Amino acid sequence: MSVNLTKGQQISLSKSDGSTLSSVRMGLGWKAVQRKGFFAKLAGTREIDLDAAALLFAAGQLADVVFFQHLTSDDGSVRHLGDNLTGGDGAGGDDEVVLVDLGRVPGHVDQIVFTVNSFTGQTFAEVEDAFCRLVDENTGQELARYTLSGGGTYTAQIMAKLYRTGGGWQLKAIGEPAAGRTFQDLLPAVAAHL
């Protein structure tokens, strides 16, 4: 059963039988807002290039980044499945995917922060049906979903983070609007959530 997360909500990634998840998928989906009016129909749908990134932190310091120009972490535990330059049709499918093999994440990495930014600079007012979701990669079961709501004049969002606790991992929905076209632009805003 999936949990619809609200900003700041946290969930444990331990299974009900006491075991822990071994591999998760963070999926990002979106579509461009449909233009209205006669000329909008002639112009067609505007393409919006949102980019998902996974920022790996060790004791508050950036240790590695996985994004469209660096698809696999240096240790191989986190993989981005490729850049989507236009978004989807809003049917709920993942337009960009980041896979995390939790068992292979190096012990010094204690947080993985997921961000999304509008590489082409459009604001989230021009995006609809945007979400991130966490899926058990082994079973395909959706564990949690965070919906970006309200549009807004920002160009990025700090979505969620996976972080280590005593015996495993937890997920926290952050949902913090930010400004920036790249993950580098977001680092000062991300620092407040570590």
Side-chain angles (χ1 to χ4, degrees), residues 19-105:
S19 63
T20 57
L21 293 170
S22 61
S23 183
V24 295
R25 172 178 7 126
M26 181 63 74
L28 169 67
W30 76 94
K31 75 174 187 176
V33 170
Q34 295 298 311
R35 296 176 183 178
K36 296 185 178 10
F38 176 74
F39 291 110
K41 288 181 183 176
L42 292 176
T45 303
R46 185 173 188 182
E47 296 179 350
I48 296 180
D49 181 9
L50 295 185
D51 290 326
L55 289 67
L56 288 70
F57 287 91
Q61 299 298 310
L62 187 62
D64 202 351
V65 179
V66 174
F67 70 116
F68 71 93
Q69 290 183 329
H70 184 241
L71 294 175
T72 304
S73 61
D74 293 339
D75 56 59
S77 65
V78 180
R79 291 185 304 125
H80 191 300
L81 297 187
D83 194 14
N84 180 318
L85 302 176
T86 62
D89 60 7
D94 298 332
D95 298 317
E96 289 199 12
V97 172
V98 177
L99 298 174
V100 181
D101 184 342
L102 296 169
R104 289 184 59 197
V105 175

Side-chain angles (χ1 to χ4, degrees), residues 5 10 14 21 29 46 52 55 65 113 136 139-140 162 165 177 179-180 182 189:
L5 295 174
Q10 301 176 78
S14 296
L21 293 170
R46 185 173 188 182
L55 289 67
V65 179
V113 178
D136 181 335
T139 66
L162 290 172
T165 60
T182 67

Side-chain angles (χ1 to χ4, degrees), residues 83-192:
D83 194 14
N84 180 318
L85 302 176
T86 62
D89 60 7
D94 298 332
D95 298 317
E96 289 199 12
V97 172
V98 177
L99 298 174
V100 181
D101 184 342
L102 296 169
R104 289 184 59 197
V105 175
H108 69 284
V109 173
D110 53 10
Q111 298 181 70
I112 302 172
V113 178
F114 296 94
T115 64
V116 59
N117 55 273
S118 174
F119 187 73
T120 46
Q122 291 105 329
T123 68
F124 276 76
E126 299 175 64
V127 175
E128 65 184 10
D129 297 331
F131 65 88
C132 76
R133 68 188 192 124
L134 190 73
V135 176
D136 181 335
E137 187 61 13
N138 294 320
T139 66
Q141 178 186 5
E142 181 176 290
L143 305 168
R145 176 179 288 259
Y146 182 70
T147 302
L148 285 78
S149 59
T153 58
Y154 50 92
T155 57
Q157 186 152 141
I158 303 162
M159 300 288 290
K161 72 176 180 177
L162 290 172
Y163 63 98
R164 288 188 196 267
T165 60
W169 291 87
Q170 289 205 355
L171 173 72
K172 179 178 182 180
I174 297 173
E176 186 70 34
R181 294 180 50 234
T182 67
F183 77 84
Q184 294 96 328
D185 297 338
L186 304 180
L187 289 175
V190 168

